[in-house]
Amino acid sequence: MADDREPPPLFDDEKPDKKEEEDDLFATPNEAPKEEVKDEPASLPTEPVQDKASEDLFAADDDLFGAQNMQEDSAAPPQLEVVDEPPPEMDISGEGEEVDLDSPETEGPSSPAKMEPDSDSSPLEAPPMAEVLPPAKPVTEEKPKPTPAPRKPSMEKSKEEVGYTSFAQIEEEESGDQFALDIKVHDPGKIGDGMGAYMSYKVTTQTSIPAFRRPSMTVTRRFSDFLGLHEKLSQKHVHIGRIVPPAPEKSVVGMTKIKMSKEDTSSTEFVEKRRALLERFLQRISIHPVLQMDPDFRDFLEQDELPRATSTSAVSGAGVLRLIKGVGDTLSKVTIKMDESDQWFEEKQNQVEALDQQLKKLHASVEALVTYRKELGISTAAFAKSTAMLSNSEEHTALSRALSQLAEVEEKIEQVHLEQADNDFFLLSELLKDYIGIIQAIRIVFHERVKSFHNWQNAQQTLAKKREAEAKFKQTGKTDKIAHAQEEIREWEGKVEKGREDFEEISKTIRTEIRRFETNRVKDFRNIIIKYMETLMNSQQQLIKYWEGFLPEAKAIA
Amino acid sequence: MRSAVLYPSVIAQEGEDQDVPSRLTSTKMDNATEETNTNGTADVSDSPEADQDTPESSGLPEPTLPPKPFEPVFTVKVTDAAKDGEVVKYTLKTTKIKSDSEEYKVVRLYEDFEWLEHCLITQNDIAGIIVPPLPPKPSTTAQSAEARSKKQLGNDIKLVVGDEFEKDCRSLEKYLYLVVTHPILGQDESITKFLTVREAPTRAKLKKSIFSNLSKAVGEARKGGHKDVNEFFQKERDTVNEVSVQMKEAKENFMKIVYGEQRVAVGLSHLSTALHLGGQLQEGADVVVNKLFTQFSEGLEDAKQGLEVMAVNDENTLGFSLDLYSRYLEAEKEMLYRRTCKMMEFEAASKAVEKAKPQKREMAVAARDKAEKEFEDISKAAEKELKNFHHQRVLTFQDSLVRHADAKIKAARDTYALLTKCVTALKTLDTSFKPL
């Protein structure tokens, strides 16, 4: 643990703030603590639900979500996440240390109890907290109230400063009583036969969040249910700037194989790939402070029966609408240009695009590596067979025995190669793919902001027109129309104001989301890279073991 | 430091030196057979005469002294291969075993080796001898390098594999060792001249007739199935037919593993490079991620080096032996074929005696007796050769397998150590950043 010390205090000048934040942070169960919890006994929950022999895969899947399995990882990265989540809907977010407000806000009703002691120490936060918490859950769809503009600069500043302090604090204290949401997808099973067949998956949730009916539950879901969940979350959250984890990919080829009852390795791989993907999808939602409290998400995890999500099919009415909307969006992306007044957004968009390029290149490299390794496994198996044949023909007993042993060793090494190829794939390749998908979600959110800006501009233009019209009526003396015109002006003034607020709101939300994304990215990549390197080490160890076992046999030949 | 740890040891060469003295000591020691250091190998006879035959015994045996065991005169190393245009020049360093001070250094071309082989075959009665196989001519052209690269690395990797001079040197060295230590061939003047005389012996143009190879193959196919009078030889022939195919296949598959290892190494290298290239943006989280990537890329380089070392060692140890014996077993087959031919001649001569008319009978009997003697001679020589051959084969493979395993263990341990360092560096990497 000592390995992962946060950098030395950069926040010496902020002691008073720090203290308050510190307290609040401890009271904030969701963010940091969640990561902590996953740190130590994280390995425990992985065990029961493995379908596949290779434990690496499961452990890896957990880790993808910021749950550091590795004991040594004290939650240095997680603190970044904790700090930066102001849920935009909260009125509070406009005030003071919005950073700290986020976490508690997202917990739900139980938080107030914990918050009380803290509220003493942080006068700014205390009153808002109490109000905020209850609405935290159901609020997700609501439009945020206008945030007082002048606060913003200070907010931004404090956010950043707080950032450092909180990391250090959380790392030092790592308290145990935190809210966790631990989700597993397991036991894929085929239901039905023929073209109507489908895979069902069990989804088990362990949670200490009181909003859930029970601390532990298991439900059965099918793929379209996951798509339905994504659909619902997207509709509610994307247009206000939240990055919703991308929907799991459909695969006609994969599913057709399943339907056709092909029980070969590729279909087993496909099922495992999908299971892991669905798990990561849910886990990414669960670490989002706002999305995790979404009632649709909760229903997904809790409800025994869900209404069939028929609108997710590509050919359904909703599917066609989506298609049309998608086309419309693409067109608007081309036609709507926005004068970016905020340098931050322009830079971020460039950065995101550059990241996309990089990830795609890496993904291609990893895919090649997986292929080569699998081929090496196959070659090893072929050699093992040749060696076994030589062993059979060999008349010299000791040499024959050694050759036979060699054949066995080579077979075991084939397994080492294949397992490593799996690790190459499930750890690296899927991670990169996930992030490429998330970047797509980010692009969507940026685009929503552009649309919001466009709306605002349109409203302004319409207002201007209405004002012109009113002026004209005044000129031409059409007094009967003036009243109506003035009504319209007021209406449009309201719309302009709303448009501006919406735009600013989405801008702010996006900033937060991007920060959260960055934090998660650092965490995910760090964890996966370390995990992957450890699998490489493990492969070497296995090689050592097998060859050391063989050596005496070889020496005993003559 | 990294590269220092993982230098592949040139393993095959050491084996040669060890083998020579051990053969020497065992043959020096009270005429004991070479088999004394084995534990009851099944197919090696314990007859003390097994290696005692010297060339002299087949010609003019020394009447007073017991037959001297054959002692190789020279130790040879092929120390260098230098490319001169399209021609490769090999440098040979030879020392006389009995007197270390006598050292010879010569330069030879592959064609010189071919000439040597020709001389050895034509100037000796090689009927019952399993002639050590000369390694195939190394390719030196750019096209062959490209073709080789495509074969090894596949079409998707656009790298050219380097010339395999190291491997060629070792193959030629092994060939010379086998000749020098052969009781009959080692005494031939040709090898002495080849090793010690500065100028290469003048060569006559060797006509490599396609037809002779073809007719030989056809002949083998026809006569190869002819049943043997001797059970030992019948078994030997059956076995060698089976094993030579299996050995070839094993060698091919083994080389596929070596190429596979090289390909994975290239894959790791590409990934490592791609990670390194990511670092343009230097703000916020990117700083940390780039640091992670850089460290990761170093770790991948370590893994890649480990694999490359393994590939080289594999080729030098087990790969080398598999390759050698793929060819050597063919030589055994050829020797057995020659004996089978003699056997059939003898059988034919015997039949001729039965059918011979009285006046021709004496001639027929003489012919038959001659054929019989030749057949017996070749069988005797063959039996000895086979025993030596198999014994050497077992020892060679033992040596290779032990070295192979040793090399693997060392490479894996070294790689593991480097990876551990990398993981530690990753874990202690400061992942804080200033959110923008």
Side-chain angles (χ1 to χ4, degrees), chain B residues 113-390:
Chain B
F113 281 85
E114 281 180 319
W115 180 251
L116 169 68
E117 186 187 38
H118 175 78
C119 295
L120 290 173
I121 292 177
T122 49
Q123 287 163 17
N124 291 288
D125 176 14
I126 57 142
I129 294 179
I130 302 176
V131 180
L134 180 64
K137 181 170 181 179
S139 56
T140 50
T141 62
Q143 294 100 310
S144 59
E146 237 183 79
R148 203 170 53 226
S149 311
K150 272 219 173 74
K151 177 175 172 230
Q152 289 183 21
L153 295 179
N155 283 333
D156 47 341
I157 297 184
K158 307 276 181 241
L159 289 180
V160 179
V161 174
D163 284 324
E164 302 170 317
F165 289 153
E166 171 80 21
K167 203 168 98 172
D168 299 333
C169 285
R170 268 178 290 110
S171 302
L172 290 170
E173 195 177 284
K174 182 79 178 178
Y175 170 74
L176 291 174
Y177 166 80
L178 291 171
V179 171
V180 154
T181 53
H182 192 280
I184 296 173
L185 299 176
Q187 306 227 347
D188 192 304
E189 198 185 42
S190 312
I191 184 74
T192 308
K193 279 213 273 207
F194 182 86
L195 294 176
T196 56
V197 176
R198 176 176 295 263
E199 300 89 34
T202 34
R203 312 190 289 269
K205 193 86 169 120
L206 284 176
K207 283 210 186 91
K208 279 230 161 90
S209 155
I210 309 175
F211 294 120
S212 70
N213 284 342
L214 193 58
S215 63
K216 194 169 78 163
V218 170
E220 274 182 10
R222 257 190 313 126
K223 295 181 193 166
H226 192 93
K227 195 162 177 342
D228 207 297
V229 297
N230 181 312
E231 200 182 301
F232 167 75
F233 278 100
Q234 182 64 57
K235 187 139 191 291
E236 195 63 39
R237 281 161 62 191
D238 293 338
T239 309
V240 76
N241 282 335
E242 209 184 328
V243 175
S244 65
V245 170
Q246 290 170 345
M247 184 74 70
K248 272 212 192 77
E249 205 181 293
K251 174 206 141 184
E252 299 277 306
N253 287 338
F254 186 80
M255 288 317 292
K256 284 203 187 118
I257 291 183
V258 172
Y259 302 148
E261 285 172 333
Q262 288 170 342
R263 275 164 67 89
V264 175
V266 170
L268 287 169
S269 179
H270 284 169
L271 180 57
S272 165
T273 310
L275 286 167
H276 230 74
L277 291 179
Q280 284 112 2
L281 300 165
Q282 291 293 330
E283 299 187 36
D286 281 335
V287 176
V288 178
V289 174
N290 287 337
K291 279 196 273 180
L292 284 171
F293 278 3
T294 303
Q295 185 61 58
F296 184 32
S297 121
E298 282 178 22
L300 290 175
E301 281 292 326
D302 291 338
K304 164 201 156 209
Q305 262 193 298
L307 262 180
E308 282 177 339
V309 166
M310 275 193 190
V312 170
N313 286 342
D314 283 353
E315 211 175 349
N316 292 352
T317 57
L318 194 50
F320 189 77
S321 298
L322 288 170
D323 177 60
L324 171 65
Y325 276 91
S326 296
R327 290 178 284 117
Y328 220 166
L329 285 171
E330 287 298 310
E332 183 196 342
K333 255 167 65 177
E334 283 175 17
M335 184 278 281
L336 287 170
Y337 175 69
R338 290 193 286 269
R339 180 186 159 280
T340 306
C341 289
K342 284 285 180 223
M343 179 177 77
M344 288 169 71
E345 277 173 28
F346 172 48
E347 285 177 355
S350 301
K351 283 213 183 85
V353 165
E354 287 166 26
K355 291 196 186 139
K357 296 206 177 80
Q359 62 266 45
K360 298 259 171 91
R361 200 180 152 86
E362 221 182 285
M363 240 172 52
V365 168
R368 183 208 57 199
D369 287 345
K370 176 161 170 289
E372 184 176 12
K373 174 139 197 325
E374 281 179 0
F375 176 60
E376 275 174 12
D377 284 346
I378 195 177
S379 293
K380 206 157 86 160
E383 199 173 327
K384 201 156 60 96
E385 275 284 283
L386 285 170
K387 281 170 181 128
N388 283 354
F389 176 75
H390 286 308

Side-chain angles (χ1 to χ4, degrees), chain A residues 322-369:
Chain A
R322 259 198 307 277
L323 199 59
I324 294 174
K325 177 171 179 294
V327 170
D329 262 351
T330 314
L331 287 176
S332 68
K333 271 186 197 162
V334 175
T335 53
I336 298 182
K337 288 296 171 208
M338 182 175 142
D339 284 328
E340 189 56 74
S341 53
D342 191 339
Q343 197 56 21
W344 188 93
F345 280 91
E346 185 155 335
E347 279 173 14
K348 273 302 165 194
Q349 281 187 281
N350 290 340
Q351 189 189 359
V352 163
E353 290 307 315
L355 180 63
D356 191 49
Q357 291 295 327
Q358 184 193 32
L359 293 180
K360 283 181 173 144
K361 282 207 189 95
L362 289 176
H363 185 248
S365 283
V366 173
E367 299 238 285
L369 181 63

Side-chain angles (χ1 to χ4, degrees), chain A residues 32 70-71 147 157 162 166 198 346 352 519:
Chain A
M70 286 154 303
Q71 312 283 334
T147 58
K157 179 170 176 295
V162 164
S166 2
Y198 63 92
E346 185 155 335
V352 163
T519 308

Side-chain angles (χ1 to χ4, degrees), chain A residues 38 45 49 61-62 65 180-186 202-207 212 217 226 229 275 278-287 292 297 300-301:
Chain A
K38 287 186 182 174
V49 293
D61 288 345
D62 292 342
F65 291 79
L181 195 61
D182 191 31
I183 304 180
K184 294 259 179 313
V185 174
H186 56 102
K202 294 239 182 306
V203 180
T204 297
T205 312
Q206 319 251 28
T207 178
F212 285 82
M217 62 213 102
F226 289 82
L229 173 64
R275 184 212 64 80
L278 294 175
E279 193 173 88
R280 292 196 303 275
F281 170 65
L282 293 178
Q283 286 174 339
R284 288 210 162 99
I285 298 174
S286 75
I287 56 169
Q292 73 173 201
F297 181 55
F300 180 91
L301 296 176

